[in-house]
Amino acid sequence: MTFLRAIPFSFNILWRLALVFPFMIIALIMVGILAGFLVLLTAAVSPLLAVVIMGFFGVGASVLPTMVGTRLGLRARGASVRSSAFGLALPAIGYGLFEALCALLIMALGVAAYLFATSLTLEDFTQLTQMDEDVVIQQLMSVSPAITLSIFWVGGVLILGLRAALLMPLAGASIAADPSGRPHTPFYGFASEFLSLLPLVFLSYLLWGLAVPLAVAICYLLGFGDAVIAAANQIEMTGGNEALGLLGVETGVFIGIVVLVYLWAFSLQCAGGRWFI
């Protein structure tokens, strides 16, 4: 029931999220600059630590739009907000770090399970990390398709489940308050409405993956799909600053549709927080 109610409410969040999108981009750019500065400082000491920091900030960057959208949705439902917009940064980074650490642990357990169940060694796995993603998947599938698919499936479900479990705490952090009116308690409501929110998160991630194909399909329905494909091919072949001159109305509409699909994906997760109050 929560899942079905969240979908129409997500459109109520979508248009609000679209209005603040430019400001959100500026905030993400500032976070990216900070992350880049920290990565440069740590790369000279430990490249591995630099990669970990990039991962932490990457997950944090996905948490921030979710918190912004959830805040907008809760305000639309009459919730009182106890923090400023700038107050979202710290909890977004904190929850982002937690989610990144958990995701890293899930991936590490997946690697350990794969090493235990197959004949690959840690050295073999290290060599795989230097290959392209498609090549890595082909290599893993050639070793054991069943084990590879099982680990990918279980790991993916765990990561999706983690985000679903965090939606209620993110809702509380977005307005800096618990339902009782007290200041936000970290992880309050963790895993609440989990079974209803899990398919919502799955749909959200599915939309992220299908954003470009969906935008292309919509462009074909609007009658200029071929023009978008042709422009994309020209831009890919041209590259550099000259490619900007190839952007036309059709490609602008295409980019706008992609952005809207991405924002709707975030809005779906944000809509899950409406039951926080």
Side-chain angles (χ1 to χ4, degrees):
M1 200 66 175
T2 301
F3 174 76
L4 296 177
R5 291 179 180 177
I7 292 178
F9 186 66
S10 67
F11 293 102
N12 198 8
I13 295 175
L14 175 59
W15 70 267
R16 291 178 168 86
L17 200 56
L19 289 178
V20 302
F21 178 71
F23 304 100
M24 193 165 58
I25 290 296
I26 294 174
L28 290 175
I29 290 174
M30 294 175 63
V31 171
I33 292 174
L34 176 61
F37 179 71
L38 291 177
V39 167
L40 288 176
L41 287 178
T42 56
V45 179
S46 173
L48 179 60
L49 180 60
V51 172
V52 171
I53 291 176
M54 288 177 61
F56 285 164
F57 275 92
V59 177
S62 72
V63 170
L64 182 60
T66 304
M67 290 185 62
V68 171
T70 304
R71 180 188 179 99
L72 294 172
L74 291 176
R75 289 190 66 177
R77 299 195 71 223
S80 58
V81 178
R82 302 185 57 169
S83 66
S84 65
F86 294 101
L88 294 175
L90 186 59
I93 293 175
Y95 281 112
L97 288 174
F98 173 78
E99 189 173 8
L101 283 172
C102 291
L104 191 63
L105 178 61
I106 291 170
M107 288 188 288
L109 290 174
V111 171
Y114 198 89
L115 294 176
F116 178 78
T118 66
S119 59
L120 287 181
T121 64
L122 186 59
E123 183 179 354
D124 296 331
F125 223 93
T126 304
Q127 292 177 354
L128 289 177
T129 60
Q130 301 173 1
M131 303 178 184
D132 293 334
E133 182 178 346
D134 294 337
V135 177
V136 171
I137 294 176
Q138 290 177 2
Q139 292 290 331
L140 294 178
M141 291 292 288
S142 65
V143 175
S144 176
I147 294 176
T148 301
L149 291 175
S150 298
I151 291 177
F152 272 112
W153 186 84
V154 172
V157 170
L158 288 175
I159 290 175
L160 292 178
L162 176 63
R163 174 53 68 94
L166 282 172
L167 285 183
M168 289 303 176
L170 290 178
S174 69
I175 59 174
D178 290 343
S180 61
R182 294 182 300 179
H184 171 61
T185 304
F187 297 100
Y188 181 91
F190 184 82
S192 297
E193 299 285 342
F194 178 78
L195 293 179
S196 297
L197 294 176
L198 183 59
L200 199 65
V201 173
F202 174 78
L203 179 59
S204 172
Y205 278 81
L206 183 64
L207 279 175
W208 281 337
L210 297 178
V212 173
L214 282 174
V216 171
I218 293 173
C219 289
Y220 271 106
L221 291 175
L222 295 175
F224 53 84
D226 290 331
V228 169
I229 297 297
N233 291 332
Q234 288 182 339
I235 291 172
E236 184 178 0
M237 290 186 296
T238 304
N241 294 329
E242 296 179 1
L244 297 176
L246 299 175
L247 295 176
V249 176
E250 293 86 356
T251 51
V253 172
F254 167 75
I255 294 172
I257 294 173
V258 171
V259 171
L260 281 177
V261 174
Y262 276 122
L263 290 179
W264 185 36
F266 277 113
S267 299
L268 283 170
Q269 293 190 28
C270 301
R274 63 168 290 183
W275 285 270
F276 183 77
I277 59 174

